[in-house]
Each structure stands twice: as C-alpha cells, then as structure tokens.
Amino acid sequence: MRSEERNGAVGNQFPVGMRVLAVDDDPVCLKVLETLLRRCKYHVTTTNQAAIALRMLRENRDSFDLVISDVHMPDMDGFKLLELVGLEMDLPVIMLSVNGETKTVMKGITHGACDYLLKPVRLEELKNIWQHVVRRRFSNRERANVDVYEECSRPSNVDFDNVHSQITCGSPDQSGRPSKKRKEYHSEDEDEGGESNGQGNDDSSAPKKPRVVWSVELHRKFVAAVNHLGVDKAVPKRILELMNVDKLTRENVASHLQKYRLYLKRLSAVASQQASIVAALGGSDTFMRMGALEGLQGYEGFTSSEAMSSFSPQGLLNRNNLTSFGIQGMAASRPIQIATGNSTISHSTGDVNRYRLSLPGTSNRQGNVAQGLAASVGQVQLPQKWIQGENHDLSNIVSGNGFVNSVPGTLRSVTNSPLLQQDLVERRQAKMVIQPSSSANSERLEGTVGVSSSLMDSHVSQQGDFPLSVLSASALFSGTFASSNISKLGATSSGSTTICPSNDLRVARDNKMGASSFGSAIRLSPDTAQNQKYLNFGGGSSLRHNIDSENTDSLLVSKLVWSSLLNSQPPSTFGSQRPDNGSLGVKMIEPASVTAAPQMKIDTFDILTPKNTLELSFPRLNSELSSSSCSFDGLLNSIIKVEKDDASFSDDLGCDFYSLGACI
Amino acid sequence: MDYSNLRRQAASMKKSLFDQGYLDEQFCQVEDLQDEASPNFAEEVITLFFKDSARLISNIEQALEKYPKDFNKWDAYMQQLKGSCSSIGASRMKSECMSFREFCGQGNVEGCMKSFQKVKREHGVLRQKLEAYFQLLRQAGPAGAATRPGM
C-alpha cells in the first residue's frame, strides 16, 4: 500500500482505496462484508480473529485507515479490541453487531467506536464510512493547528502530494499525518516554512514516522504532567514540555490527551450514573450493578492500555463523579492525593509512586483491598500495569483484579490491626499502603483499613478530606465484599477516595446519595463511643470526640467505620439514624439517617458498604475490635461476615454500594 | 429458450421464497454483489452459510445438552447463528433464532427446546430450497444471474 501506488491507481479519489481491516469471526458475514467493501472500492483485508487483527495493526501501523470489527468474537471482546486500537493506533473503529440494543450501542460509543452498524450491513452504510477517517484526520490536524482544509482540498497540488496521497490512500496512519503536520509545525517554529511540504513529503511518503506507542512509562509521564497542570487546564504544549520526551510531538500528546479526557468523561458519566442511582437509594440494584459492571468491563479494555492507568488519577479525583473514578483514583495518584489531603499522603502528581499507602506494618502485604477496589472497577487492570513498576503498594491496589475474589478470604486474615493502628496513627498522613495482592488476605484489609484510619485521622482534623477514607472505604469494601460486592466496593471506594473533598461528602450525605458517600467516609455508627478502641485507629481519640458529639448524628462524622461495625446491631450503630441501618456504609447513605445528622462531619467516613457486607461486618467487627484495638482484621472480617449474614442493609441501599463501586 | 425457461423458473422459485418469507431483501443484496469478478458469489456465500450454520447448530445442540439451563451460553451461540442468517437474508430462520433468544431471556427451557427444533427445521427446509434454486440457476447457464423477484 504505497501511497504513491494508491495515488496513481485511484487518482486521488479518496475514499477510493481506503484501507480497511475487517474483523469478524463469522465467515459468512465476513465474506459478505468483504465483498461489500470491495464494491465500495476500498482496499480490504480480512481476518476472523481479533488477535491477528491486532498483530497486523501493530506490525504495520500505517497500513490501515479504518477498522471494522464485530462485537461478539470468541477470542477477544470486540469492545476490547476497539479500545486497544483506538488507544494504540488511533484509528477509527466501526463496530458491527447483530445486537442493536441501546445499551450495547452505548457501550460501543463510550468505548470509542466512531460508528456502530447493525448486521446485516448494507452497501449504502458502508459507502459512507470513509467520513470517519477524514474526520479523525481533520481533528488531529486541528489540534496541530495545521490547515487541514488546505491539505485536504488540494487534489492536484504537487506540493501536497504527500498529504494528498495520504488522504487518498487513506493515509497510512495517523502518525504519518502528525509527522507531516509536525513537520509543518516545526518548520513554522523553525522558520523553515518553505520546506515544510517538502520535508513532510519526504517524511511521510517514504518511511512513515512511527506511530507513538503509549507505553506505561510514557503514559505515566503524561499523566504526571497532566496532573501537574491540572486536567482541565492541561494543554498539549505544556504537557509535552513537562514530559520532555524525545520524538514526541505535540500532536501525539494532543490526541492522547483527547482520548484521556474522553476516558475520564466516560468514567465520570458512569460514576454520575451510579451516583444518581445511589442517590435514588434504591435504584434498581441491577442498574447499579450494571453500572458497576459496565465500569468494570469498560475498564477492562483499558487494562491493556497503559494509558488507562494514567486516566484514573487526576481526572478522577477532580470529578465529583468520583465514584467511578474511585477505583481509578485508587490506582492513580489522585486518590491518594486526596486522601492525604492535607497531608499525609505524599502528594503525587499522578505518579503512582506517590501513592504510597502504606499500612504500617503491612506495607508489603498485598493490598488486596486496594486491588479489590481496583478490580472491582475493572479499572484495576489498568493501574496495575501502570503502577506495577511504581509504587508497589499502589499497584497492589490497582491490581486488585484478583482481589475481588479473594477478598472475602483476605479480610479474615487481617490481623495486623495493632500494627495498623499504630501505624495509622503515626502515619496518618500517609502512606496508605494498599497492597495489591490479589490474595485474599487480611493484609489487604489492613491495607485498606489502615488507610482509612489514616484518613480518619486526617479527616478528623480536616473535615471532609477524606481521601483516605475513601480509599479505605473502598479498600475495605472491596475486600470484604467478595465477588460482586467487592468489586463494587472497590469501585466505589476508589471513587470515594476521590471524593475526599468534604463537600462531596456533605453533598452526598445531604443528598443521601450513596454515590457521594462514596467518598464519604465510613460512617461510624453513633455507637462509636463503644468503639473507642477502634477509634484508636489512627486518631481514634479524635474520632472519639466526633463520635460522641455525633452520636445522634449521622454517621457521617468521622467515626470509624469500625465503630459502627462494633455495633453489631446496625440499627443501633446508627443511633438515631436508621433503625435497621446495620451496614455502616450503606445505611449511612440513607438520607434519613444521614442527613439527620446536622453536622456533617466530614471526618467521618461514610462507607458505603454494600448492603450486606457492611452491616454484617460491622457487627462482627465490633466484637473483634473490642478485643484488639481496632484490628482492621476484625473489621474486615466483620464486614465480610456482615455481608454474608446480613441482608438488611441491602434493602436500604439497594444497589448503593455497588453502584458506588461501579461508579468507581 | 430452454435456458430462458430455466431462468424463468429460477426467478419464480426465488419469488416464491420471498413471498413465503424464507428470504428477505438481504438476499438480493448478496446476489447483487455478484459480478464478473465473482460470478458465483451468491452461491458461494450460501454454501458457506450452510456449512457454517450446520456447525453452529451442532454447537447449540451440544450446549443444550451439556450445559443445561445455561441460557447465557445458549444465547451467545444463537446470536452467532442469527448473525449469519441475517447476513444472507434467511428471514424465517432468523425469526426462529430470535424467538429462541427470547426464550433464553425468559429462562424458558422448554420454549428454547421447541424453538431450537424449529430453527433446525427451517434450516433444513431453506437448504433444500436454495439448493434447488441454485441448481436451476446453474442449469440456466452462467449468464442466468438471478434477478429480483417479480421482475
């Protein structure tokens, strides 16, 4: 597919000769599709396996202009392929499916498909697919401030042969374009205006500039830069400067930034969806789960892309939707940042390393909880990859994929409560080590717990900065709630962590939105007084204060969750709040109880625990906690137990927690 | 004369297939894709369809047996079959596939079983009819590309 060739063959008649890669496991559909595409005069390559398609794309980045893929394929989910292609190669992808349900189509769009066609595909529809190629190029150029129009509209200008041929031939790859643009751009900078075309031509027509691969490392830098600048204010030029990477162009960064933002937006959309559901308090469970699942699924695709990891951080934290980001946040530095809020957590600019959530004593434990969180969201996958090299702790959290499953087990094993406490107290600020480990062990819980403690501490003082709590909450939950719960929790937790800002909590509380509580701290039941010991978690004493005063209040106060746990009877724990509110987190969400408390002590962590889990676990925890100063293990265990035993909570919140998790 | 007669017969056979709902517009699209470069495209695709659908049907059959009540799995398989059917315009088969999927959604095992039998039946019938149709076309001669029913 030499552009020259194509150029000559098609006579500058884009979209003729546009290079399409068609992927479908159904041989009949593939054959028909291939013929239809040929009828449109495209250049078609087909394969019935997504893996082969990916390989082809990776080997020759410039060899295709457009990808059409079926959604349901045995070797790889079409959505996943879609994400990978979009992120790695920045090619337009069109989804094909027999299934035309709105939610599936929505999923395709949110995953980045530029179109979604229903089978059987008609010739007329295929005749127009070239527009997606042009559109993408156009927007790439725009970003590069290149005169796209000028480039596209010069059919016979020799000077623009390169550009033109790119277009007509379905310009091999985005990188070709960017490189050309870059040439022009740079040349402008360097006062080589006259040579731009020539250079571009040389550059683009002969060896195409290699498409930028956003490796984990690169993405990390990118995220760090974006976080540093502020996700809303980051501009490609500055990002590029901060990243200081050779051979990276502004266009590359710009398009990556765009994708990143879309990703975040998607997360936040899911999160807010979750949030609203939670807010509804009782939104259909299914929906929330779906949301959670969606989130999870969605994120799955991301795991493979390094980019994903970076997505979570900054963007997540900043968003109120946090819920969905929650998890991301976990992985990303953001959450931690929040958590540390004022303090404690090392301020990370999105760098995974920053997030050292180290639970005292448990630092090396696998942060299953964290993982759980991450896992639940599905996003975990991403961070994991991303974080892997970095902060071990964090990565643990992120890698929570396995966590979810293992959580139940892990919680039980949490045994380092003493450690945790101490550490927590000492460390409030910091490190919340969320050990990723997927092994279900208490360690994880500890990690989370520890985190929460720290959060609590900080929260106590800070009011409303819950970053940690969120984490812990999420961690806890994720861990405790095995299976779906966990994932949900995890997800939500992350979100919650991000929520840290007290405002979120308040709002959440006020709105009784489970989602908001997401970040909201773990609510300690009014009975926390009893759980004074628990309060010792990081700052228990301070909590104690809170607890007492808030006894009637809401759980919002930064009571330790554990406290609530301690109150084996959910209803009582919440004191005046909900009678049946056993589950700390979840119930808390209930407006009645929560909102009742006038003082929104942001300090408290409203833990949105999945209905069952919280309630169950809390009661149990109480007992356990009493024995040891707030052993997180106990808490976790109780949480787990609660989950199993108590379903009352679920009634209240319905999907709340899950949704939160999902949000994350 | 002979040929044109055969062609006429083929055309009327095709028309009746459409009238009876065995085929739909998509089939015409497939036939339209036939040209000098691929003169037997339609037949090739149909042959491929029957081969692949036989495989899918046997997969479903196995799944119905080996994974009782695994509606998700059944549904997934059936969705594949439905996709194939819609690609060539096998209308009746497609409808039966859809109702099978509906039964799956409802968790209705018996409904699934019955529907599956119908799918198989439709599959067999369509295969017979299309084989006859293409045979006629072949006899009518290479120039006898099928035309739209009613023309």
Side-chain angles (χ1 to χ4, degrees):
Chain A
M1 316 199 170
R2 293 278 75 132
S3 53
E4 295 82 5
E5 246 175 31
R6 204 165 306 115
N7 207 359
V10 302
N12 298 342
Q13 281 175 21
F14 180 81
V16 174
M18 184 174 79
R19 297 160 303 165
V20 182
L21 173 63
V23 191
D24 193 336
D25 65 313
D26 183 335
V28 178
C29 298
L30 194 60
K31 189 174 171 84
V32 175
L33 179 65
E34 180 183 16
T35 312
L36 283 169
L37 289 168
R38 294 232 159 89
R39 193 47 83 81
C40 299
K41 306 245 195 340
Y42 301 141
H43 187 285
V44 188
T45 309
T46 62
T47 172
N48 61 354
Q49 286 184 48
I52 295 181
L54 263 181
R55 187 163 50 80
M56 284 198 275
L57 288 165
R58 282 175 176 152
E59 277 170 10
N60 313 299
R61 280 166 193 263
D62 303 343
S63 21
F64 300 104
D65 301 310
L66 178 75
V67 178
I68 298 187
S69 167
D70 186 29
V71 167
H72 301 278
M73 291 190 287
D75 69 327
M76 187 190 294
D77 183 31
F79 293 119
K80 183 162 179 197
L81 175 68
L82 160 62
E83 282 178 356
L84 287 177
V85 173
L87 281 166
E88 281 184 39
M89 289 128 216
D90 193 23
L91 279 179
V93 182
I94 294 180
M95 301 306 292
L96 268 186
S97 178
V98 192
N99 185 348
E101 287 169 30
T102 306
K103 65 171 177 168
T104 320
V105 177
M106 177 74 73
K107 191 171 175 191
I109 304 303
T110 55
H111 278 68
C114 49
D115 207 348
Y116 194 107
L117 302 177
L118 293 188
K119 289 184 185 176
V121 185
R122 303 184 58 80
L123 192 66
E124 300 80 54
E125 293 174 310
L126 292 177
K127 282 202 169 131
N128 284 332
I129 59 177
W130 60 267
Q131 61 180 282
H132 301 293
V133 177
V134 175
R135 193 177 297 129
R136 191 166 283 232
R137 292 202 198 140
F138 196 86
S139 68
N140 279 348
R141 283 176 185 282
E142 286 273 291
R143 273 189 258 116
N145 290 328
V146 171
D147 189 347
V148 182
Y149 183 75
E150 185 181 294
E151 284 185 15
C152 291
S153 64
R154 285 209 217 187
S156 46
N157 188 330
V158 178
D159 289 343
F160 292 83
D161 265 353
N162 191 52
V163 175
H164 193 59
S165 62
Q166 283 184 0
I167 298 178
T168 51
C169 304
S171 192
D173 53 68
Q174 305 299 333
S175 61
R177 224 161 239 261
S179 66
K180 173 140 181 62
K181 285 189 285 191
R182 182 176 30 228
K183 276 275 181 231
E184 294 175 357
Y185 187 78
H186 286 173
S187 61
E188 284 165 18
D189 290 346
E190 300 160 9
D191 278 318
E192 288 174 43
E195 293 178 353
S196 63
N197 287 336
Q199 284 179 355
N201 284 341
D202 292 342
D203 205 76
S204 324
S205 51
K208 299 281 181 219
K209 254 211 173 30
R211 200 181 283 270
V212 173
V213 175
W214 282 92
S215 65
V216 174
E217 192 59 42
L218 203 58
H219 185 66
R220 192 157 8 109
K221 281 195 174 151
F222 170 81
V223 174
V226 170
N227 287 344
H228 182 75
L229 298 167
V231 88
D232 291 327
K233 296 199 245 82
V235 284
K237 187 157 182 216
R238 291 276 293 135
I239 296 174
L240 188 61
E241 285 168 14
L242 283 174
M243 283 175 73
N244 193 23
V245 170
D246 265 356
K247 303 208 175 113
L248 191 64
T249 71
R250 199 189 140 289
E251 292 84 13
N252 299 138
V253 174
S255 74
H256 197 69
L257 177 66
Q258 194 187 48
K259 285 187 239 166
Y260 184 61
R261 285 197 172 130
L262 282 174
Y263 177 73
L264 293 178
K265 215 189 279 184
R266 175 145 62 93
L267 289 177
S268 97
V270 174
S272 53
Q273 209 179 49
Q274 296 291 343
S276 53
I277 292 182
V278 174
L281 278 183
S284 63
D285 227 6
T286 337
F287 189 92
M288 304 241 306
R289 279 175 222 257
M290 208 171 69
L293 286 178
E294 287 283 348
L296 288 171
Q297 285 173 10
Y299 299 124
E300 253 175 68
F302 285 96
T303 38
S304 43
S305 51
E306 302 86 359
M308 299 312 288
S309 43
S310 53
F311 281 37
S312 48
Q314 297 264 316
L316 291 175
L317 295 180
N318 294 323
R319 297 197 198 224
N320 284 332
N321 297 331
L322 301 180
T323 46
S324 54
F325 293 107
I327 302 214
Q328 291 270 336
M330 288 271 304
S333 48
R334 254 318 173 134
I336 305 200
Q337 287 183 341
I338 299 188
T340 46
N342 311 300
S343 61
T344 55
I345 296 192
S346 47
H347 194 80
S348 48
T349 51
D351 194 331
V352 176
N353 290 322
R354 311 281 176 94
Y355 302 125
R356 280 208 127 236
L357 297 178
S358 46
L359 285 183
T362 57
S363 50
N364 293 320
R365 298 285 185 95
Q366 292 283 302
N368 289 328
V369 176
Q371 287 183 341
L373 288 176
S376 47
V377 176
Q379 296 176 349
V380 178
Q381 298 184 7
L382 285 177
Q384 183 171 26
K385 183 174 174 181
W386 181 49
I387 299 181
Q388 211 83 50
E390 320 256 303
N391 196 334
H392 182 63
D393 297 327
L394 266 189
S395 48
N396 289 332
I397 302 182
V398 183
S399 51
N401 289 325
F403 182 76
V404 173
N405 298 322
S406 49
V407 173
T410 23
L411 289 179
R412 302 267 159 81
S413 47
V414 177
T415 49
N416 294 332
S417 47
L419 274 181
L420 289 175
Q421 290 164 14
Q422 295 239 294
D423 293 334
L424 289 175
V425 177
E426 298 169 1
R427 303 202 196 179
R428 303 219 304 206
Q429 319 230 317
K431 309 196 183 183
M432 297 218 291
V433 172
I434 297 195
Q435 291 144 11
S437 63
S438 39
S439 52
N441 41 51
S442 54
E443 300 182 60
R444 283 196 270 179
L445 290 178
E446 293 186 340
T448 40
V449 174
V451 173
S452 6
S453 318
S454 1
L455 286 175
M456 302 229 304
D457 282 340
S458 33
H459 283 301
V460 173
S461 44
Q462 295 159 357
Q463 295 223 345
D465 296 312
F466 296 120
L468 287 179
S469 53
V470 173
L471 275 174
S472 44
S474 47
L476 283 173
F477 292 116
S478 42
T480 49
F481 304 104
S483 56
S484 57
N485 289 343
I486 299 192
S487 46
K488 308 262 172 80
L489 274 182
T492 41
S493 323
S494 350
S496 49
T497 47
T498 51
I499 300 191
C500 316
S502 53
N503 290 337
D504 291 338
L505 287 172
R506 279 185 221 225
V507 173
R509 284 200 286 231
D510 291 330
N511 300 329
K512 303 173 191 183
M513 284 194 349
S516 52
S517 15
F518 203 63
S520 39
I522 298 174
R523 290 201 207 176
L524 296 179
S525 53
D527 300 332
T528 45
Q530 311 173 354
N531 308 325
Q532 301 278 331
K533 338 184 201 199
Y534 296 93
L535 294 181
N536 287 329
F537 291 89
S541 44
S542 48
L543 289 172
R544 228 172 273 126
H545 291 311
N546 297 329
I547 296 176
D548 292 340
S549 53
E550 306 193 287
N551 215 359
T552 47
D553 277 2
S554 53
L555 313 164
L556 299 179
V557 181
S558 52
K559 299 186 190 181
L560 290 169
V561 173
W562 319 124
S563 313
S564 37
L565 290 177
L566 292 176
N567 298 319
S568 40
Q569 307 121 24
S572 56
T573 51
F574 291 93
S576 52
Q577 323 301 338
R578 342 181 13 120
D580 61 337
N581 200 347
S583 50
L584 288 179
V586 182
K587 297 283 172 123
M588 290 293 193
I589 303 192
E590 289 279 19
S593 43
V594 178
T595 51
Q599 49 232 135
M600 302 269 292
K601 297 206 183 174
I602 308 277
D603 316 326
T604 46
F605 299 78
D606 293 322
I607 300 183
L608 296 176
T609 54
K611 310 185 249 206
N612 301 326
T613 44
L614 281 181
E615 296 193 295
L616 293 172
S617 53
F618 284 115
R620 302 281 164 74
L621 281 180
N622 290 340
S623 50
E624 296 185 3
L625 287 173
S626 38
S627 54
S628 55
S629 41
C630 317
S631 57
F632 287 93
D633 295 337
L635 285 175
L636 292 171
N637 285 333
S638 46
I639 292 178
I640 298 181
K641 290 185 200 165
V642 173
E643 177 179 26
K644 304 216 163 106
D645 309 335
D646 196 346
S648 57
F649 197 75
S650 52
D651 292 341
D652 290 340
L653 290 181
C655 47
D656 29 278
F657 219 94
Y658 293 92
S659 45
L660 287 179
C663 297
I664 309 188
Chain B
M1 296 140 341
D2 201 31
Y3 286 148
S4 74
N5 201 13
L6 285 173
R7 234 170 281 144
R8 244 200 317 276
Q9 281 182 36
S12 95
M13 189 186 281
K14 181 160 130 181
K15 181 172 186 309
S16 88
L17 283 175
F18 272 86
D19 291 343
Q20 292 169 30
Y22 286 102
L23 296 176
D24 63 25
E25 175 62 28
Q26 181 65 20
F27 186 78
C28 294
Q29 283 243 338
V30 170
E31 281 196 314
D32 281 350
L33 288 177
Q34 206 157 271
D35 56 16
E36 287 127 15
S38 36
N40 299 316
F41 178 73
E43 193 177 353
E44 284 166 15
V45 174
I46 298 299
T47 308
L48 183 59
F49 168 75
F50 281 112
K51 195 165 76 147
D52 194 57
S53 58
R55 177 184 64 88
L56 289 174
I57 286 178
S58 117
N59 281 351
I60 299 176
E61 195 136 35
Q62 275 181 26
L64 286 177
E65 237 180 284
K66 279 202 320 193
Y67 307 104
K69 293 208 177 170
D70 191 344
F71 296 107
N72 287 337
K73 206 184 208 70
W74 299 355
D75 183 86
Y77 278 126
M78 188 53 83
Q79 188 168 44
Q80 283 183 292
L81 183 59
K82 180 185 165 204
S84 283
C85 292
S86 61
S87 289
I88 62 147
S91 178
R92 273 206 189 175
M93 251 190 92
K94 184 166 85 161
S95 303
E96 280 310 327
C97 291
M98 295 201 311
S99 72
F100 177 92
R101 295 189 68 208
E102 267 171 49
F103 283 124
C104 278
Q106 299 163 9
N108 182 344
V109 177
E110 198 181 312
C112 285
M113 296 299 180
K114 285 200 182 142
S115 181
F116 180 63
Q117 294 307 315
K118 286 199 192 152
V119 169
K120 284 202 291 189
R121 198 161 48 237
E122 291 295 338
H123 182 249
V125 168
L126 187 65
R127 190 207 295 253
Q128 269 182 342
K129 291 192 183 280
L130 285 179
E131 272 175 5
Y133 171 71
F134 281 110
Q135 192 171 33
L136 208 51
L137 276 186
R138 260 181 271 124
Q139 286 171 3
T147 54
R148 280 203 146 63
M151 282 197 199

